[in-house]
Amino acid sequence: MLIAGFPAGSFAANCYVVAPGPGEECVIIDPGQDAEPGIAEILAEHRLKPVAVLLTHGHIDHIWSVAPVCGARDIPAYIHPSDRALLSDPARGLGLPVGQQLFGGLTFTEPDDVAELADGMTVRLAGVDLVVDHAPGHTPGSVTCRAQAGVMFSGDLLFAGSSPARSGGPTCRAATTRPSWTAWRGCALPSPTTSRCCPGTGRRRPSAPNGLATRSWPG
């Protein structure tokens, strides 16, 4: 399996491209701010064809470029329904009034094709099986995705080098952090000795299972 990634934009949220191997179809995970050039570079380098975008949650640093990325390639976006409203109104995730303008009046819209994720479902995208675990806490619709070869895409359930992320702001309530711990302890990392985590923010763990191709992070 090929996994390539980079920190996108000023938020430095990690965007990943996942495929069975070079020259294959791929899925894009969390295309954040100004992610299009980095995605295009990876696609060209590995001769990949994107078939979908998967979002671990709806915070703006992870969904900024989802509409243009999906629109340019006519592909769907996958997100948990509890975070779907953030696609068109990301200000909600920052505790701002509904419809509040962001960044000088930028507008955000849903992609034309949005599919909803559910806890426990297996999504087969680009020949890769991704098991979805709902992990509310950072946002109500946060999910993790487990792939073969012991790899987990955690979104901001985990930050690199840390324990599960705290409640992610006004879209959450303090009590909703408990399911995040449940996901961490139970479904998200069923085999800690062999799993590798690709976090939503920060550098990916440097070791990788055999057969994984990765891009280096700065520093």
Side-chain angles (χ1 to χ4, degrees):
M1 185 165 62
L2 183 153
I3 300 174
F6 60 95
S10 59
F11 298 104
N14 291 332
C15 175
Y16 297 98
V17 178
V18 184
E24 303 277 358
E25 293 181 335
C26 67
V27 59
I28 299 165
I29 298 178
D30 288 354
Q33 183 187 29
D34 301 329
E36 297 99 314
I39 292 170
E41 180 183 337
I42 291 172
L43 298 182
E45 178 182 352
H46 298 289
R47 310 181 313 282
L48 301 174
K49 178 185 177 183
V51 297
V53 169
L54 190 147
L55 302 168
T56 61
H57 63 291
H59 276 163
I60 191 171
D61 53 335
H62 290 257
I63 61 96
W64 185 297
S65 298
V66 61
V69 167
C70 289
R73 295 167 175 84
D74 193 26
I75 57 177
Y78 288 75
I79 191 169
H80 191 276
S82 295
D83 276 11
R84 182 169 179 170
L86 298 180
L87 293 175
S88 56
D89 190 10
R92 292 187 184 187
L94 302 175
L96 300 176
V98 174
Q100 173 73 45
Q101 289 190 342
L102 295 175
F103 305 103
L106 286 177
T107 58
F108 293 83
T109 59
E110 277 196 2
D112 291 337
D113 186 359
V114 177
E116 294 186 347
L117 300 169
D119 184 49
M121 74 185 296
T122 298
V123 184
R124 186 168 180 82
L125 299 170
V128 177
D129 288 333
L130 295 166
V131 180
V132 177
D133 293 308
H134 187 207
H138 187 67
T139 67
S142 289
V143 301
T144 66
C145 296
R146 291 178 280 129
Q148 59 262 45
V151 179
M152 183 183 79
F153 299 93
S154 74
D156 283 346
L157 174 67
L158 293 176
F159 291 85
S162 74
S163 58
R166 63 177 177 81
S167 175
T171 56
C172 307
R173 297 290 184 272
T176 64
T177 58
R178 184 176 299 276
S180 288
W181 284 96
T182 301
W184 164 257
R185 295 174 60 188
C187 62
L189 285 177
S191 183
T193 60
T194 59
S195 293
R196 297 295 183 267
C197 180
C198 296
T201 305
R203 295 184 64 184
R204 195 185 60 79
R205 285 177 58 179
S207 56
N210 291 335
L212 288 186
T214 61
R215 233 177 139 196
S216 297
W217 270 252

